[in-house]
Each structure stands twice: as C-alpha cells, then as structure tokens.
Amino acid sequence: MTKKNIKIAVVGLGQIGGYLLNELNNKKKEIQLKTGVKITIEAISAKNINKKRKYKINKKIFFSDPLKIIKNKKIDILFEAIGLSDGISKKIVEESIKNKIHVITPNKALIAKHGDYLAKLAEKNKVNLEFEASVAGGIPIVRTLKEGLATNKFKKVTGILNGTCNYILSEMENSNNTFKNVLKKAQILGYAEPLNPKFDLNGHDALAKVKILSAIAFNKKISQNKCLMEGIQNIELKDIEIAKQLNLRIKLLGITELLNNELFERVHPCLVPSDSYIGNINGVMNAVILDSKPVGQSVLQGEGAGPGPTSSALLSDLLSILRGNIKYPFGLPSNKRKFIKNYNKNNYTNSLYLRFEVNDKSGVLSVITNRLAKYKISVKRIIQTPDKIKKKATIVIITHKTNEINSKKCLSIFSKNKNILKQPTLIRLYN
C-alpha cells in the first residue's frame, strides 16, 4: 500500500475476533518492521460491550452498530469475524467493499454462499476480499492454490477439513469411548460448539470449505447445487472397532475432483488404510492433498481450528494487503471464472462397508445377500459376530464397487424386514 498509516476495524469479538484483536495490538511493531506500514486499531464492534472477555477491549472505540464504523470512521481494512452467512455479516462486508475498504474474513459460510458476488464487487472497487482463514485454519491452502501452484492444472483436492470431526473419530479409537461421550469431551475442550455442533458433525462446515477450494482449484464459480453430504453422527464405536480389525480407519473427508470434465464435490465418512498418510492425521489436525500437473501430489498439514491458527491466517492476509498485493479474490477475474457441469452423484462407484444389526436366526444372512445381489451389489467379505445371550448378531459386509443409486435403493428395502433391527450403517471405502 502507498499509505504508511493504516486504520483497521475488527467486527465480531468472539473467540476468533477477540484473539485476533489481541494479536494486532501485540504485533504492531513486528507488522511495521515487515511491511513498512503502521497500523492503528480505529474501531471494534460486537453485540455486547460489557460481555466478559479473555482479552481487554478499548471501550472508547467500541461500536454497537458496526455499520456506523463505515459512516463515522475512515477505515482502510476491516476484519469480519461474526461468522454468519447472511444478515449483518454479509451487510458489513458488502458496505465495506462499496466504500473501498479491504475486507479480511474467516467466514467460510459467507464465502461459500456469496463469494462470487462479493468477489465481483471487490474487483469493481479495486479492493481485496481475503479469506485464507476460511479453510483449514492456519494451513495456507488458499494462497497455495492462488499463488504457489497457480499455473498447475488441478485434478483432485482431498482433505480432512473439520478438526471437530477428526478429533471425535480419533478419540473414539484411542479411548474406546462412545460418540456421545467423546462429543461431550470435545465441547468441554472447546473443539465443538457447546450448544449446537450439528454444522460440524453433519458435514455442512466441511462442504462449505470444499466449495471454496473447488472454486479456486478449477477456476470456477461457486456451485450452489445439492452435493453428496454425510456427517459422522451415525458412526458408532462398533464401527471404529471393526475398522481397526480390517486395518482401516474412519475419516470424514472433503473431496472435489473433475470426472470426465464434470465437477464432483462431496463430504462423507471414508474407510482409509491405517498405514496411509490420510489415515494418520489425528486429533484436531487438518490436511489437504492436492493432485495437479506438473507438480504432482502436494500435501499441506496443520492445525485446522481454534483462534491461534485462524488468527495466523488472518494476519497473513493483512500483511499481503499491506505489501500492496491487490489481487482477484479467487485468483482469476470474475468474468473469466466458469460454470462447470456437475457430475451425477448417482453414478459414483465405491466399495461399501455395510453393518447390519439382526436377530440371530437362520436365513437372515441369505436374505441380505440375495437383496444385495438383486441390486447388483456383489459381496467381497463377510464378518459375523453373534451375541448368543441376546440372540442377536452383527453382520458386516464389504462389497465390490457399486454405484450410489444401487446402494440407496437396496438399503431402503432393509428397513421393512423385522429381523433387521435398525437401518444399516453405510461407510464408503476411499477410492
């Protein structure tokens, strides 16, 4: 930037915003040393000025209405850390850009829903819209795609993109504890939302990140179509234990790839080999694997959540702007980014792990295998574990590859059989 004194606003003072504000105050000299620019925190905003916070705030620069910051202060850069996809989050970002204020945000929900519109607006007003922190916390994946590997042609991006889910699955295996109990522990430790963690658990959070990565990797508009999305809420300790016997682990993966020049975005649990790289990303760690030409396969790994890693990414965006890097938010001008036809997810083929809880009666297994055969699902391996006391049994079937439409039609029939005690659990094996 040509200006040597930059005025900054921080909107949203929750876990991320509060930590970021403290970092900005503590690292002013370091930022000036590395960029030649002096920063001043000119305004802050949150719902409640009197809320008890970990870090002290300067109430003299506090605004209860963040939109008044734009009207009353001459701001150069605004951090949005509220986290909503619409409402005040969208409004403050939109108004900032219209007033030629650079915006930095960790808000993946906002970018996944409105990124195309906001990027076009930023280009029109010649300001930056930066969102490195929206995907994989402190891992510089957005900048790697936009800059470091900018001339590569991407084929596939695979990632563990939700630290909450990865922690829960890892901890269930390590502690031999149930999903419910491990979720409670994750909430206590601050890894999961204390009141409503469903957006992490059901795959929604990871899918928003997948859509952002797709847009950059494949030079495309953000898809708003319904994608294959499943979470981990139906994974039981029994599945973790059986996977271990098979030298496999369960991971929630976010995947985007081009199949026959069609885009296939998805998030779902996968069984991966225990000795694979992705199978050994544990705890709250995230990892992203990039397949591209000519560089081949690249791997980025690091802390994917929490105020520390997120603030690190936010500050990297700040330094980029302070150094004068005015660039297209998604790496290409908006009018050059294309729409890509979506791949029909019903045609997607996978080997499947199917777990049935059944009454331990003769003929039940043959009913299951006959119905699988009817839908052209062939059996590769069967594991039976009887419970003679309860007169029940667990049947696990590993199938050869079959398509999504066959597996859905087949599984819907099993709910009508009185000897099959619950809806079968389905987990895809990672291709």
Side-chain angles (χ1 to χ4, degrees), residues 330-349:
F330 287 92
L332 276 184
S334 290
N335 61 3
K336 299 292 184 184
R337 291 167 58 224
K338 56 195 174 185
F339 287 101
I340 300 178
K341 184 179 178 182
N342 277 312
Y343 177 79
N344 185 348
K345 63 183 179 182
N346 288 330
N347 296 331
Y348 177 50
T349 61

Side-chain angles (χ1 to χ4, degrees), residues 63 71 76 87 96 101 133 140 151 157 177 179 208 224-225 229 235 238 276 288 305 331 365 383 385 395-396 413 418:
F63 286 76
K71 293 178 182 178
D76 299 297
S96 296
I101 298 169
T151 61
V157 180
N177 211 335
F179 177 90
Q224 300 298 338
N225 292 344
M229 183 185 82
I235 303 295
K238 187 176 286 188
S276 64
V288 184
L365 178 58
I383 303 169
T385 309
I395 298 174
V396 170
I413 291 175
K418 64 181 181 181

Side-chain angles (χ1 to χ4, degrees), residues 259-270:
L259 297 175
N260 300 322
N261 293 316
E262 294 178 346
L263 181 73
F264 187 26
E265 299 170 309
R266 60 201 185 274
V267 171
H268 53 75
C270 285

